C-alpha cells in the first residue's frame, strides 16, 4: 500500500512482532514499578519508553510538493511539542513528511512499520540496531547505513526537499541520507543537549560534526545559535511559538479573581 510518496507495506509477521514487543515493554514497566516501590523512591520513566501505539487514520488527499525525511527529537506519541507541530506545519505547506520514530528500544520490533498517517505526516516506526538510547548514545555508522537502506526502500522517486534532523543521535543517518539522495541537510537545534546530566562527550562531537555538515542550522534561541555561528554554519533563528487561536478567549462573564493563574 502506498501513502503519497512513501510505500512501506507490512510484512505478515509485523503484527506478531509488534504485539510481542508491546508485551515485553509492559513486563519491563511492571518490573520497574516494582523496583521503585521496593526502594521507596520515585523515578521518571525514560522518554524513549513513553511512546504509545497510535492507530493509523485514513490518508487524506495526495499531497503535492517534495517529501521531507524527518528525524525527530521525540516519539510521535510522546508529549506534543515542537517536533510534532513543526512536522504538521511542513505537511500543511505541501510537503509530505516521513516522521521516523526510532525511540522504542524493545528487542522485538518490525524493521519498519507505518503506525500513523495524520495531517500529511507519515509516522514510520523503525527498529534501531543495538537499541541505543537516543539521548545518551550516538548512532554508529553500520546502524545508520542499515537504517538508510530501510528508509530508502520505501521512498518514491521524488527528490526530498530536505533531510531534517533534531537530535545529535541521528547525525550519521542524516548525513548518510543527504549524501545518497543529494538533498539538503537541515539541523534543528532545539536544545542544549550537552547540558543534561549523564550526556557523554561523544554527543558533543556528533553534534559539532552535524553542524559542520548541515546546509542550514535552525536555532530556537540566541544562545543556541552561538555555536553554529562560531563554526561558520548558515543559521536561522527559529524560536518556539504558541498558536493563540488554540486557546479559548477570556470570558467577560467570569467573576474577577483575586489570585493569579499562570499556564506553561
Amino acid at each position: 500500500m502506498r501513502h503519497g510518496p512513501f510505500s512501506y507495506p507490512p510484512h505478515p509477521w509485523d503484527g506478531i512482532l509488534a504485539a510481542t514487543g508491546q508485551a515485553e515493554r509492559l513486563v519491563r514497566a511492571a518490573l520497574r514499578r516494582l523496583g521503585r516501590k521496593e526502594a521507596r523512591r520515585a523515578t521518571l520513566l525514560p522518554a524513549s519508553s513513553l511512546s504509545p501505539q497510535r492507530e493509523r487514520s485514513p490518508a487524506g488527499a495526495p499531497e503535492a510538493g517534495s517529501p521531507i525525511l524527518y528525524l525527530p527529537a521525540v516519539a510521535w506519541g510522546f508529549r506534543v511539542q515542537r517536533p510534532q507541530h513543526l512536522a504538521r506545519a511542513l505537511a500543511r505547506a505541501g510537503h509530505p513528511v516521513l516522521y521516523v520514530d526510532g525511540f522504542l528500544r524493545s528487542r522485538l520490533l518490525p524493521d519498519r512499520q507505518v503506525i500513523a498517517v495524520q495531517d500529511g505526516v507519515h509516522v514510520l516506526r523503525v527498529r534501531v540496531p543495538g537499541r541505543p538510547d537516543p539521548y545518551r548514545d550516538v548512532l554508529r555508522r553500520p546502524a545508520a547505513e542499515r537504517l538508510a537502506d530501510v528508509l530508502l526502500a520505501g521512498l518514491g522517486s521524488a527528490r526530498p526537499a530536505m533531510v531534517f534532523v533534531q537530535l545529535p543521535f541521528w547525525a550519521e543517518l542524516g548525513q548518510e541520507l543527504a549524501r545518497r539522495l543529494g538533498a539538503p541537510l537541515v539541523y534543528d537545534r532545539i536544545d542544549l543537549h550537552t547540558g543534561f546530566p549523564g550526556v557523554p562527550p561523544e554527543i558533543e562531537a556528533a553534534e559539532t560534526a552535524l553542524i559542520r555538515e548541515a546546509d542550514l542550522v535552525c536555532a530556537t534561541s540566541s544562545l543556541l545559535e552561538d555555536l553554529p555561528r562560531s563554526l561558520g554554519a548558515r543559521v536561522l533563528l527559529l524560536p518556539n511559538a504558541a498558536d493563540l487561536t488554540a486557546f479559548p478567549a477570556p470570558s467577560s462573564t467570569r467573576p474577577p479573581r483575586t489570585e493569579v493563574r499562570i499556564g506553561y
Side-chain angles (χ1 to χ4, degrees):
M1 183 183 298
R2 176 169 287 276
H3 295 281
F6 312 117
S7 178
Y8 298 95
H11 293 134
W13 55 86
D14 283 355
I16 297 175
L17 283 174
T20 307
Q22 177 67 9
E24 178 199 0
R25 292 191 292 277
L26 291 174
V27 170
R28 287 165 57 192
L31 291 174
R32 283 194 297 265
R33 285 195 295 269
L34 180 61
R36 289 196 298 272
K37 183 177 180 181
E38 291 176 348
R40 294 180 178 272
R41 66 173 183 266
T43 58
L44 291 175
L45 288 176
S48 57
S49 68
L50 298 175
S51 46
Q53 292 277 354
R54 298 291 294 270
E55 294 297 325
R56 184 184 304 179
S57 60
E63 303 94 340
S66 304
I68 292 174
L69 302 188
Y70 198 115
L71 306 179
V74 298
W76 180 256
F78 189 57
R79 181 175 59 248
V80 177
Q81 49 197 287
R82 180 183 177 101
Q84 295 96 326
H85 283 302
L86 195 52
R88 289 190 174 104
L90 291 169
R92 286 196 301 270
H95 297 279
V97 173
L98 184 68
Y99 192 100
V100 181
D101 189 331
F103 295 88
L104 284 185
R105 301 172 64 195
S106 299
R107 293 175 179 83
L108 295 174
L109 281 176
D111 283 341
R112 79 288 183 280
Q113 181 185 29
V114 177
I115 62 171
V117 180
Q118 300 175 358
D119 304 322
V121 180
H122 308 249
V123 184
L124 182 72
R125 177 169 291 160
V126 295
R127 181 175 63 197
V128 180
R131 301 189 302 135
D133 182 345
Y135 305 103
R136 298 290 185 273
D137 299 320
V138 296
L139 189 64
R140 306 298 177 184
R141 173 161 290 280
E145 292 175 348
R146 178 176 172 184
L147 282 177
D149 291 338
V150 170
L151 297 179
L152 295 180
L155 187 64
S157 58
R159 179 176 180 268
M162 69 179 85
V163 177
F164 192 82
V165 179
Q166 283 186 320
L167 273 183
F169 171 75
W170 297 118
E172 285 283 359
L173 178 58
Q175 294 173 67
E176 181 71 13
L177 288 170
R179 181 185 65 79
R180 293 196 197 182
L181 294 166
L185 177 63
V186 178
Y187 175 41
D188 188 28
R189 196 172 193 231
I190 65 174
D191 219 330
L192 184 61
H193 301 290
T194 57
F196 292 92
V199 174
E202 61 183 348
I203 297 294
E204 182 177 8
E207 183 179 36
T208 299
L210 178 59
I211 291 171
R212 292 186 186 278
E213 290 294 325
D215 297 283
L216 176 68
V217 176
C218 302
T220 57
S221 70
S222 56
L223 176 65
L224 293 176
E225 68 176 341
D226 288 345
L227 175 62
R229 290 196 186 281
S230 70
L231 295 174
R234 180 185 176 194
V235 181
L236 171 66
L237 182 61
L238 190 64
N240 290 319
D243 180 6
L244 297 181
T245 62
F247 297 88
S251 173
S252 59
T253 60
R254 183 177 300 169
R257 305 177 63 91
T258 56
E259 71 271 18
V260 176
R261 179 173 295 177
I262 298 176
Y264 173 73

